Amino acid sequence: MSKIFVDACFGKPTPYTPVWMMRQAGRYLPEYMKVRAEAGNFLNLCHDPEKAAEVTLQPLDIVGVDAAILFSDILVIPDEMGMDLSFVKGEGPKFSDPITSQEDLDRLIGGEEAADKLTYVYDTIKLLRKQLDERGDEKALIGFTGAPWTLATYMIEGQGTKTYNICKKMLYSNPELLHNILAKVTEVVKLYMEKQIQSGVDVVQIFDSWASAIEPGKYDEFSWKYMVEIAEYLKEKYPHIPIIMFPKGVASFIERGLVYGNFDVFGVDWSTPMAMAKKYLGDKYVLQGNMEPCRLYSKEATTTCVEVIQETMGGERHIFNLGHGILPDVPVENAIHFVKECQRVSKK
Ligand code: CP3
């Protein structure tokens, strides 16, 4: 039997519009905090398949979403390429030796060798596949990766950034090095996604969270074309696995008609009006999104938005989601309210 989430990704009719939330497994859930404390820290949790599987499934039971997203992080890829990831309390992710030259890049592990090191991710997926099949409730499992550009921003800056000045300096003054980084990451990501699929995910999403840092005229060259290359590689071998692309903050790239590629679902972020995305992309791609995540602080603001999105999409070729990740201080009951409202307004 096919899963309603997978059907929706392919634009097939479903009894209601399925819903999930980006970053749905995380700190707003007391149950997550408990398992993270048992693991000691966030990275230990990512490396422990039993515990990672447990927190992956929490939002299904607590919040009622229609799909689980693998619990891991986009930054495990550069970590296994040899970049030594750490999370500094209150400061977020850090790499001790950011890439500044071709020599730095050449020192990193690439291709199959790097993808093979992510065994704990594949073990988590295999465990989840078994557990989801045993539940028999037809909920889908989403695998994911960061887009090469978003990963490269951390690999070059060494941490999160507000200005992206170090990687943008490279973009304009040494584009060849940036392309070499992007190409090396793309090769690892292709194999990493393929191994996630072979381990049992139903759907994959590519997060380009920092897409909006690139000017629209350069976005294809430095990010989108690499995402499309990954999608083409996977589609050729695994056409039955839907691919979701989530480039955040690219309204003007959409409006200029620059979106192309062989994938199934376009994730619309909260700063892009859904009606605009529908006008330019709705015939070709199923749309996912796009409630502003901070609306979750108010149940009324949530209901209003869910109703407007439903009216815009008409219950067709759509998956409900937030327009970016849920924040840690959102009350759990408000997240439950969001999910229930999406299922209520779209029930056929
Ligand atoms: O529920 C899910 O969505 C699955 C798990 C998931 C995590 N990170 C867990 C996580 C996913 C899909 C990600 C993706 C991710 N990681 C992205 C892209 C998505 C997005 O939100 O744009 C990015 C940019 C990262 C990098 C990253 N990881 C940052 C910047 C941080 C720190 C930010 C913060 O909120 O503190 C992380 C850590 C992280 N990844 C946490 C979780 C649950 C918080 C760690 C903790 O428990 O303290």
Side-chain angles (χ1 to χ4, degrees):
M1 206 166 94
S2 61
K3 300 180 174 74
I4 109 156
F5 186 80
V6 173
D7 283 348
C9 289
F10 285 130
K12 295 184 191 160
T14 50
Y16 61 93
T17 303
V19 52
W20 68 286
M21 294 183 296
M22 285 184 273
R23 304 295 282 266
Q24 66 189 13
R27 287 168 294 187
Y28 72 104
L29 292 174
E31 293 85 349
Y32 166 82
M33 294 310 285
K34 186 166 168 275
V35 181
R36 193 185 75 173
E38 285 164 17
N41 62 44
F42 169 68
L43 270 182
N44 286 351
L45 180 51
C46 293
H47 288 130
D48 182 332
E50 295 271 349
K51 287 193 168 61
E54 184 180 348
V55 296
T56 301
L57 296 180
Q58 284 175 347
L60 298 184
D61 298 324
I62 301 166
V63 191
V65 287
D66 294 295
I69 178 159
L70 162 73
F71 188 83
S72 182
D73 196 80
I74 59 167
L75 300 176
V76 295
I77 299 171
D79 188 31
E80 294 304 344
M81 289 174 77
M83 285 203 68
D84 184 30
L85 172 66
S86 61
F87 281 86
V88 181
K89 224 181 161 58
E91 288 181 51
K94 286 239 182 326
F95 291 113
S96 48
D97 282 311
I99 303 175
T100 59
S101 64
Q102 184 65 43
E103 293 72 52
D104 289 344
L105 177 63
D106 291 342
R107 272 196 290 275
L108 298 185
I109 303 162
E112 195 90 39
E113 200 187 340
D116 277 346
K117 294 183 79 182
L118 290 145
T119 45
Y120 48 91
V121 175
Y122 314 133
D123 288 345
T124 304
I125 294 170
K126 286 175 197 156
L127 202 56
L128 280 164
R129 182 75 277 150
K130 196 165 148 267
Q131 292 171 348
L132 281 164
D133 291 347
E134 277 165 12
R135 289 163 62 107
D137 59 6
E138 298 300 324
K139 305 243 176 174
L141 178 60
I142 304 168
F144 70 89
T145 178
W149 162 255
T150 287
L151 294 175
T153 64
Y154 290 96
M155 296 167 80
I156 296 163
E157 303 266 347
Q159 58 192 11
T161 165
K162 287 199 170 73
T163 56
Y164 304 88
N165 53 319
I166 307 174
C167 48
K168 290 210 258 183
K169 186 174 177 186
M170 190 185 288
L171 188 153
Y172 294 110
S173 57
N174 192 356
E176 197 189 322
L177 176 56
L178 181 53
H179 277 302
N180 290 346
I181 296 170
L182 294 167
K184 189 159 184 170
V185 173
T186 297
E187 283 317 303
V188 179
V189 167
K190 279 183 193 166
L191 300 168
Y192 178 51
M193 296 324 283
E194 177 162 22
K195 286 171 198 285
Q196 287 194 21
I197 291 170
Q198 289 168 349
S199 303
V201 300
D202 299 300
V203 177
V204 292
Q205 172 156 321
I206 306 180
F207 286 88
D208 200 7
S209 303
W210 312 137
S212 67
I214 308 179
E215 60 174 287
K218 296 249 179 227
Y219 182 62
D220 184 44
E221 180 187 345
F222 289 98
S223 187
W224 189 252
K225 78 165 189 206
Y226 291 100
M227 293 170 72
V228 170
E229 186 183 325
I230 295 160
E232 303 277 352
Y233 176 81
L234 298 174
K235 267 288 155 209
E236 194 162 303
K237 292 186 151 180
Y238 310 97
H240 60 292
I241 300 289
I243 299 174
I244 308 172
M245 301 284 229
F246 177 67
K248 183 173 171 284
V250 295
S252 62
F253 186 72
I254 298 170
E255 258 185 321
R256 291 178 186 198
L258 297 175
V259 174
Y260 67 96
N262 190 2
F263 62 93
D264 306 283
V265 183
F266 188 93
V268 182
D269 80 281
W270 61 267
S271 69
T272 302
M274 205 61 172
M276 195 267 258
K278 187 181 176 192
K279 178 176 160 202
Y280 289 96
L281 305 173
D283 292 341
K284 197 161 174 209
Y285 304 110
V286 168
L287 299 181
Q288 173 176 281
N290 76 336
M291 188 172 88
E292 142 74 286
C294 292
R295 280 189 180 256
L296 284 175
Y297 293 119
S298 154
K299 286 187 188 168
E300 293 71 33
T302 294
T303 295
T304 309
C305 184
V306 167
E307 285 174 348
V308 170
I309 294 173
Q310 172 64 17
E311 210 176 302
T312 306
M313 295 309 298
E316 277 177 29
R317 300 175 61 73
H318 179 222
I319 292 162
F320 274 111
N321 202 321
L322 305 174
H324 198 194
I326 183 171
L327 293 166
D329 60 344
V330 167
V332 179
E333 63 171 290
N334 292 25
I336 296 171
H337 174 80
F338 168 66
V339 169
K340 283 207 173 114
E341 288 295 78
C342 293
Q343 292 166 343
R344 175 184 67 81
V345 300
S346 64
K347 198 163 185 326
K348 287 182 182 134

